[in-house]
Amino acid sequence: MARRRIILFALLGIASYLVTMLVTMPASVIVNNQPWRTGVAGTVWNGEVGVAGGSKLEWHMAPLRSLTSLAFAADWKANGPNTDLGGRMLMHPGGRIVLDKVSGSADASLLQALQPNLPFTCDLTMQVQMDRIAIGGGTQLLDGNLTTDPGSCRSKGAGAASPLPALILTAEHIGNRTMIRLALMTQRRRTLLDATLSEDGAVDLGVTPEGAVMMPFVGLPGGARIQGHM
């Protein structure tokens, strides 16, 4: 009985020490310095990071989900110009990030935080309903949809901004692939771009002739396809 009490007190002590570390550990430990980051504050338990464009991402750690998933779990919310977005997050060792139940409105500048290698930037607002976004290693997938208000995009290299009507992007995870399609909101059968994302991160992307005319900032001629890796 005495040994059990000693073990119990030891475990409680270790748990208290770990919780204290998480409560006091600075948020910068889990948010690396990135081009899109404008500042970071708070702790691992409850912190926030600024995003280029004026938005702010806040999170609050979910201890039970962290234990059951063996990853850093948190509820998060992003606020800023044209942005009111939230959901749940898992950050796995090695850089894998899983976002669940993502919903709300978002400025397109947040795309740079998720995919900083995109060759273009956009000035538009998105309405997001994504059941899951998984990137950065392991099984990669998208499942859900987003729509955009009319806006514009431009190449990061040079060139004038291209005006865009309202668009809809659908992503459906089927088997071991995610099928992605971008179309006009008012004429959803008019495909502008389609892509396949494999669970290993391989991407096969193509632009239709109409998509190439409407979206020259993508940098692909109509009918062309390219392969890459996320």
Side-chain angles (χ1 to χ4, degrees):
M1 182 66 69
R3 178 176 294 179
R4 289 181 179 176
R5 288 179 178 175
I6 292 172
I7 293 174
L8 178 60
F9 286 136
L11 291 175
L12 288 174
I14 293 172
S16 298
Y17 173 74
L18 292 175
V19 169
T20 301
M21 284 188 62
L22 289 173
V23 170
T24 59
M25 190 177 295
S28 56
V29 171
I30 61 171
V31 183
N32 296 327
N33 191 14
Q34 300 286 345
W36 54 265
R37 197 187 86 176
T38 60
V40 61
T43 65
V44 169
W45 188 278
N46 190 14
E48 63 181 53
V49 59
V51 180
S55 296
K56 179 176 67 174
L57 173 66
E58 302 174 334
W59 70 85
H60 185 76
M61 183 180 178
L64 184 58
R65 290 208 310 269
S66 296
L67 289 173
T68 57
S69 62
L70 299 179
F72 176 80
D75 298 312
W76 63 272
K77 190 167 186 178
N79 289 290
N82 302 318
T83 298
D84 185 10
L85 189 68
R88 301 191 304 180
M89 171 176 62
L90 283 177
M91 295 179 64
H92 294 266
R96 174 171 167 77
I97 298 175
V98 179
L99 305 178
D100 287 315
K101 306 302 179 184
V102 181
S103 64
S105 60
D107 187 82
S109 62
L110 290 181
L111 289 174
Q112 297 302 311
L114 287 175
Q115 283 297 315
N117 295 324
L118 286 175
F120 56 85
T121 61
C122 293
D123 181 13
L124 50 82
T125 302
M126 306 177 293
Q127 303 299 322
V128 184
Q129 289 290 334
M130 299 294 291
D131 288 331
R132 172 159 288 197
I133 302 171
I135 57 175
T139 300
Q140 303 193 52
L141 63 91
L142 302 174
D143 194 22
N145 66 79
L146 65 84
T147 59
T148 75
D149 295 337
S152 64
C153 295
R154 69 170 67 233
S155 171
K156 285 182 178 178
S162 301
L164 290 174
L167 304 174
I168 179 168
L169 182 143
T170 57
E172 186 176 9
H173 187 64
I174 303 173
N176 60 358
R177 299 184 302 171
T178 297
M179 310 303 294
I180 302 167
R181 182 172 173 270
L182 181 67
L184 297 173
M185 186 67 180
T186 55
Q187 296 174 290
R188 300 191 182 188
R189 292 187 178 182
R190 294 175 62 183
T191 300
L192 305 179
L193 177 151
D194 70 271
T196 300
L197 170 65
S198 300
E199 290 183 346
D200 63 0
V203 179
D204 181 90
L205 181 146
V207 179
T208 66
E210 184 174 8
V213 172
M214 189 174 294
M215 304 184 298
F217 51 85
V218 175
L220 290 176
R225 303 199 69 85
I226 60 170
Q227 289 75 41
H229 202 278
M230 290 185 63

